[in-house]
């Protein structure tokens, strides 16, 4: 700016063309003089040297006294007083506006002060390297770029500096090398100041944002540098080294300065919510300095990976197992396909037209790649495609896009078990006020005789067996079938019975009842060490538009059970049998989704259960009444 | 002159001026668009940027030398005229413009301004890519674009918030909206710049800005105010003669208007070839004939009172280009001039010593 300013003044002095224009600047000059206490000598030097270029008559140099000394003509003083008012009349410059500016500035200062408490300067164990990060939980979990911690992967140890001027021990947890994200945890303090996560889908071009971090390792005291700007673009794509490392897809482009050292630091909206992790800039022409184009990984992409990152996993991105090609305007067609792949399993054939992916209309292959990149492997995504003249919509679970890394990553099993505890201990605590020794019994409320204890000793499905070897309960409500009665035969299956038009062979009914029972049995049991070993955290999953934790329970009694748990409520929301030991025709994958949890005599139970068999939506059952009886 | 105090004053002045327009915009944003977005009282720019981006095309052309093969242009007419900076990019045999709806059109240069280093393009009537979903009628509907309304920059003094809307680093492609970078106008000045080692021909007034626009792809971006007024066009990447640093600047919109007026007369002259029976235009330059078949186009002599003499052409000048065409040898120059008729314009870039000098002349009847 100074250079520019010099030039302007040079030109102004030399160039009579700018006379008219600069007369107003002159007004500003005097405005400055009265407001900001520049000495009259400075002003007079300016005025005198420039005088020939302006419409104002020259002031006499007047020796030491500056231009206020006599014999300045009286009209000159009058003009000086008037000029600021005249020149700015058009800009609605008044005290109200000034107050607004000051209020806005104070608000910005407050927001940045609040945000800065969560910003971390990241170093390796030897205080080398240098990047940024942001804390997102009070117990010290934080986000950064993978490329910031890549050098620490041998020991997975580093240091994190906070604005209190202290360095804290840092351990690297899970990593996402494809998306350039890593999670770390700071220790050494009871409670940290986390930054709330925003919703990056709401980010619009033109939004005001600020980046925080430690560019050029400027801050010896670890107070972050703030750079302010606007969102220049959304849904941007930045190539990685290949399609499996450091790819920025669907990212946010900002004109706030992003420099080396900003990597891994947060991009905040003006509510101090994290909307992205800054990691790149357009450095290819001018070298590694800001050129007004920085890129942040959108926080909504990262949210899908956070469960896996917390659990210390090497998270992988998803793939359809098929590539597309552009054929004409906005026409995207499947070109190549792996066999088998999730694409082929979904019934997609080469030549089919891709219409929508994850709810977004696809206009080009690049756009498809851009959107695909934000999803982890195994993520459920809706694909809409056109097969001949048929429009087909399928939910597919993406397959793995294996990480391209030279060094193998050993997942830390302890971290994984910690995370299972984090998810499940909380779940069991929902039932905490029910004494474990108490046998909870469910009865069909019509009969009221036959009891179905579900929780028994809470560890063993066999306890469900009552003395007469039967249990049953009644579901009333709306759905595919209005009323159903299920009986438990004492072993592993619940079957429909009674006078309704339901055959006991109804696979859906059997399946969901089984699954619900098994889920409750698995999830609500106390988590002792032996049980804990049967669980493994798999990463994130999506349920009803939210990111949830996906766990796997391995037991000897049946196929692996996968349970998705809502991290907000700590309740199971989805369960899947993963068919492993039988051909899929005989044993289709069964999935139930549990909605509408309500309190039933001290325990939270779902009141709507949706069933999928083989990926196909079969039933929606609405449960009108549970009856829970103490023994 | 007390330089330090000047600097302090000038920068303080800019800072103060910088705050003033914000309030104006801010109250406007509140009044017209309802409450502002979560921006702590800052103006909501989304709409303004969206509207500007809808009037910008992405250009793709030749990749020659340091030229990156992509650029930005602003739509100035509904039938697909686009103003951009003059560059080697435009010399591609397959110059293409991609509209905000993602259609690709071939384009050609219809007017070049060597002095201003600006060019006017005309896009073809129908896109290259066929929309198979559209009806035949839709497919046969000729190009119709939203031109960017020409604003004015006469009240722009420095301190005003601005946005540069264009496609640096070809970050956006297809129908993706182009980028918007914010900044303030640092001031107005006359350009004294070089490109590489060559002086930059344009020496008129420019708006200096603090948004970084000296990026590949940025030239040809629109500079707009926060309320959407088009006040300038980002120029080619140049370095300041004084500081040898990259300069972020824009032509004031008045310069673009003047260019468009020139282009209007020039381009229509070019599209309507002069009748062959009009006499050949006279410039008064004789080139050196010494040497081989490919004699370098050195000026040997300039006839007194000729158009060339009045334009300031001097003996020993080397002609680098004529009417936007590179002149590798004397024959090329003579051939080009044979086609020019009385009243037509000849604009030259001349190498004199270590400087490139642009000159312009109107051809006359040859002297008796």
């Amino acid at each position: 700016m100074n250079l520019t300013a010099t030039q302007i003044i040079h030109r102004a002095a030399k160039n009579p063309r700018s006379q008219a224009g600069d007369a107003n600047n002159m007004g500003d000059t005097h405005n400055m003089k009265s407001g900001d206490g520049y000495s009259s000598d400075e002003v007079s030097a300016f005025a005198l040297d420039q005088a020939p270029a302006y419409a104002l008559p020259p002031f006499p140099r007047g020796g030491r006294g500056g231009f206020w000394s006599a014999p300045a003509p009286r009209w000159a003083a009058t003009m000086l007083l008037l000029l600021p008012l005249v020149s700015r009349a058009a800009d609605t410059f008044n005290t109200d506006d000034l107050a607004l500016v000051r209020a806005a500035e104070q608000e910005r200062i407050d927001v940045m002060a609040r945000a800065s408490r969560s910003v971390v300067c990241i170093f390796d164990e030897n205080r080398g390297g240098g990047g940024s990060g942001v804390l997102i939980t009070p117990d010290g979990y934080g986000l950064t770029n993978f490329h910031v911690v890549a050098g620490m992967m041998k020991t997975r140890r580093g240091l994190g500096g906070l604005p209190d001027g202290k360095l804290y021990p840092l351990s690297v947890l899970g990593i996402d090398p494809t998306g350039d994200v890593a999670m770390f945890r700071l220790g050494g303090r009871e409670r940290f100041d986390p930054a709330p996560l925003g919703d990056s889908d709401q980010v619009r071009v033109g939004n005001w944002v600020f980046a925080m971090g430690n560019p050029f390792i400027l801050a010896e005291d670890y107070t972050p540098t703030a750079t302010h700007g606007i969102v220049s673009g959304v849904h941007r794509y930045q190539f990685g080294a290949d399609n499996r490392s450091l790819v920025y897809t669907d990212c946010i482009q900002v004109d706030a300065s992003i420099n080396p050292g900003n990597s891994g630091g947060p991009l905040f909206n003006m509510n101090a919510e994290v909307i992205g992790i800054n990691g790149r800039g357009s450095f290819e022409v001018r070298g590694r300095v800001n050129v007004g184009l920085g890129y942040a990984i959108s926080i909504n992409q990262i949210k899908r990976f956070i469960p896996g990152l917390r659990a210390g996993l090497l998270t992988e991105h998803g793939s359809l197992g098929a590539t597309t090609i552009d054929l004409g305007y906005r026409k995207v067609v499947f070109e190549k396909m792996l066999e088998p792949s999730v694409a082929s399993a979904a019934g997609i054939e080469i030549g089919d037209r891709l219409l929508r992916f994850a709810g977004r209309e696809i206009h080009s292959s690049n756009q498809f790649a851009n959107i695909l990149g934000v999803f982890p492997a195994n993520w459920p995504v809706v694909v809409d495609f056109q097969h001949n003249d048929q429009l087909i919509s399928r939910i597919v679970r993406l397959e793995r896009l294996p990480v391209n890394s030279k060094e193998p990553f050993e997942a830390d099993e302890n971290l994984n078990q910690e995370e299972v505890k984090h998810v499940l201990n909380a779940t069991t605590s929902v039932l905490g006020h029910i004494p474990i020794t108490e046998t909870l019994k469910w009865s069909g409320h019509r009969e009221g005789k036959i009891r179905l204890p579900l929780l028994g000793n809470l560890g063993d499905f066999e306890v469900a067996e009552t003395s007469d070897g039967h249990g049953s309960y009644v579901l009333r409500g709306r759905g595919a079938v209005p009323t159903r009665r299920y009986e438990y035969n004492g072993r592993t299956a619940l079957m429909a019975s009674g006078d309704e038009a339901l055959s006991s062979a109804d696979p859906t009914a059997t399946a969901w009842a089984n699954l619900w029972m098994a889920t409750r049995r698995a999830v609500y049991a106390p988590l002792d060490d032996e049980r804990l070993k049967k669980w493994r955290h798999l990463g994130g999953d999506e349920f009803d538009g939210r990111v949830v934790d996906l766990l796997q329970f391995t037991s000897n009694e049946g196929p692996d059970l996968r349970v998705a748990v809502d991290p907000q409520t700590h309740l199971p929301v989805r369960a899947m049998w993963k068919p492993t030991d039988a051909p899929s025709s005989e044993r289709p994958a069964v999935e139930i989704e549990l909605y509408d949890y309500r309190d039933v005599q001290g325990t939270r139970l779902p009141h709507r259960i949706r069933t999928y068999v083989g990926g196909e939506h079969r039933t929606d059952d609405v449960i009108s009444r549970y009856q829970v009886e103490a023994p | 002159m007390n330089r330090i105090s000047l600097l302090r004053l000038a920068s303080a002045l800019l800072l103060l001026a910088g705050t003033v327009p914000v309030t104006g915009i801010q109250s406007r944003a509140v009044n017209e668009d309802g409450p502002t977005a979560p921006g702590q009282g800052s103006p909501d720019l989304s709409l303004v940027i969206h509207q500007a981006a809808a009037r910008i095309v992405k250009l793709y052309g030749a990749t020659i030398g340091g030229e990156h093969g992509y650029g930005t242009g602003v739509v100035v007419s509904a039938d697909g005229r686009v103003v951009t900076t003059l560059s080697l990019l435009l010399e591609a045999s397959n110059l293409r413009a991609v509209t905000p709806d993602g259609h690709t059109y071939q384009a050609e240069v219809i007017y070049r301004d060597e002095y201003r280093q600006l060019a006017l393009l005309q896009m073809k009537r129908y896109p290259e890519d066929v929309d198979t979903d559209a009806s035949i009628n839709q497919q046969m509907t000729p190009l119709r674009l939203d031109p960017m309304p020409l604003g004015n920059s006469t009240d722009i003094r420095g301190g005003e918030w601005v946005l540069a809307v264009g496609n640096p680093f070809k970050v956006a492609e297809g129908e993706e909206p182009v980028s918007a970078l914010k900044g303030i106008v640092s001031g107005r000045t006359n350009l004294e710049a070089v490109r590489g080692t060559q002086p930059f021909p344009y020496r008129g007034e420019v708006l200096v800005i603090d948004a970084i626009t000296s990026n590949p792809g940025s030239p040809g971006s629109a500079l707009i105010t926060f309320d959407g007024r088009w006040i300038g066009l980002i120029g080619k990447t140049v370095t300041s003669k004084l500081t040898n640093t990259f300069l972020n600047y824009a032509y004031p919109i008045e310069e673009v208007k003047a260019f468009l007026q020139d282009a209007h007369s020039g381009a229509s002259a070019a599209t309507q070839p002069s009748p062959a029976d009009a006499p050949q235009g006279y410039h008064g330059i004789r080139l050196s004939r010494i040497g081989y078949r490919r004699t370098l186009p050195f000026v040997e002599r300039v006839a007194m009172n000729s158009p060339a003499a009045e334009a300031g052409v001097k003996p020993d000048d080397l002609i680098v280009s004529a009417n936007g065409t590179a002149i590798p040898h004397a024959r090329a120059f003579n051939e080009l001039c044979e086609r020019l008729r009385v009243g037509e314009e000849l604009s030259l870039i001349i190498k004199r010593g270590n400087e490139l000098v642009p000159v312009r002349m109107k051809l006359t009847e040859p002297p008796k």
Side-chain angles (χ1 to χ4, degrees), chain B residues 239-270:
Chain B
T239 49
S240 158
K241 250 185 194 172
L242 293 172
T243 63
N244 202 28
T245 51
F246 288 111
L247 208 53
N248 302 306
Y249 72 99
Y251 300 97
I253 197 69
E254 288 70 24
E255 202 65 50
V256 177
K257 282 182 197 168
F259 161 77
L260 289 173
Q261 256 155 24
D262 290 358
H264 184 69
S265 38
S268 54

Side-chain angles (χ1 to χ4, degrees), chain A residues 119-135 140 143-144 148-149 151-153 155-172 184-188 192 214 217 222 263:
Chain A
V119 183
V120 188
C121 300
I122 296 181
F123 305 96
D124 66 22
E125 276 184 298
N126 308 314
R127 301 200 185 192
S132 307
V134 60
L135 292 166
L143 293 169
T144 184
V148 167
V149 298
M152 308 175 199
M153 290 315 291
T155 61
R156 300 195 195 173
R157 293 276 175 271
L159 295 165
L162 287 179
D164 63 6
K166 293 181 187 151
L167 274 179
Y168 295 86
L170 174 149
S171 50
V172 181
F184 64 86
R185 192 171 182 184
L186 285 194
F192 294 93
N214 197 12
I217 324 295
Y222 317 126
S263 282

